[in-house]
Amino acid sequence: MVVDNMGLDHVAIKVRDIERTVEFYTDVLNMAVSDRIGDAVAFLRTPAVAEQSDHHEMNITQYSDEELELLEERGELELDLHQFEEDLPEDGPPMLPTTGPIYHIAFEVPDYEAITDAAEALEERNHPIYRGPGRHGPGNNIFLYFPDPDGYPIELTAKMEETPEVGGRPPKRWPQTPETWNVWRKADNLE
Ligand SMILES: [Fe+2]
């Protein structure tokens, strides 16, 4: 190994329209801009679920004009997020409609109520919801998935199982079933 200890610090994504993206993360997810570089880069921090707040957890970078042209050639410049929502299979695991390498970006919220409140508020905004609220098997965490303006799926998650280095349960291999992804899938009453 090259390091003894570390944690996940921030994620950096490229976006089609940086102003639209900054507006989404600040207005919908209550993040704040810590700094910007020119017109092309923004550093965003989350409202602190944790005690301390770092300078940024996200780095948003505007695609260059050449990259935007490439997206246009591929017919991927404009995204219809509601169309992705319709394309999701009814059955099966909570696969998210992204063809890019980033499958989703998860933010921790305090509790189940924060997740149901978010789901309601997204519905009021007519913003697509991909999956949830539900509860994953591995991690036992509650989830809600929805897209950002570029279609990057955002996960809000709460109550993840703690897995201490010392004294935690041993890893197990879960079956490849929809219930592994959402243990509530068959529940009649989600309350
Ligand atoms: Fe996740």
Side-chain angles (χ1 to χ4, degrees), residues 104 106 136 141 145 155:
H104 57 271
H136 290 313
N141 47 322
Y145 292 102
E155 177 182 2

Side-chain angles (χ1 to χ4, degrees), residues 96 103-106 136 141 143 145 155 157 160 181:
L96 304 174
Y103 191 42
H104 57 271
I105 302 164
H136 290 313
N141 47 322
F143 65 81
Y145 292 102
E155 177 182 2
T157 189
M160 190 182 283
W181 293 107

Side-chain angles (χ1 to χ4, degrees), residues 12-181:
I13 56 172
K14 286 201 167 182
V15 301
R16 290 162 176 76
D17 179 340
I18 192 167
E19 300 309 328
R20 179 182 63 175
T21 300
V22 167
E23 188 185 333
F24 171 83
Y25 283 96
T26 54
D27 180 38
V28 177
L29 295 177
N30 197 27
M31 293 179 79
V33 176
S34 294
D35 274 319
R36 297 193 64 147
I37 301 174
D39 294 332
V41 182
F43 297 89
L44 271 69
R45 63 183 189 273
T46 59
V49 169
E51 299 277 299
Q52 295 141 355
S53 190
D54 285 337
H55 177 268
H56 64 275
E57 283 105 353
M58 286 191 83
N59 167 329
I60 312 285
T61 298
Q62 168 80 49
Y63 279 120
S64 68
D65 289 344
E66 292 75 20
E67 289 166 330
L68 288 174
E69 274 172 34
L70 211 58
L71 288 175
E72 186 155 28
E73 277 171 30
R74 290 192 209 140
E76 295 175 4
L77 190 58
E78 301 294 335
L79 297 176
D80 180 349
L81 301 174
H82 284 284
Q83 185 191 332
F84 288 145
E85 185 183 41
E86 285 159 18
D87 288 345
L88 281 175
E90 285 289 316
D91 295 339
M95 302 302 290
L96 304 174
T98 177
T99 54
I102 292 184
Y103 191 42
H104 57 271
I105 302 164
F107 295 97
E108 184 185 8
V109 294
D111 49 28
Y112 176 60
E113 195 182 4
I115 287 187
T116 53
D117 285 352
E120 270 175 34
L122 288 167
E123 272 168 20
E124 275 169 26
R125 288 168 178 258
N126 192 30
H127 191 91
I129 291 176
Y130 290 155
R131 294 290 187 207
R135 188 187 275 276
H136 290 313
N140 201 34
N141 47 322
I142 305 159
F143 65 81
L144 177 72
Y145 292 102
F146 53 95
D148 87 347
D150 282 76
Y152 293 115
I154 301 299
E155 177 182 2
L156 295 184
T157 189
K159 304 292 179 194
M160 190 182 283
E161 174 184 7
E162 288 185 19
T163 313
E165 197 68 21
V166 178
R169 68 167 175 79
K172 88 175 201 190
R173 191 178 297 271
W174 295 71
Q176 282 268 28
T177 62
E179 289 75 21
T180 288
W181 293 107

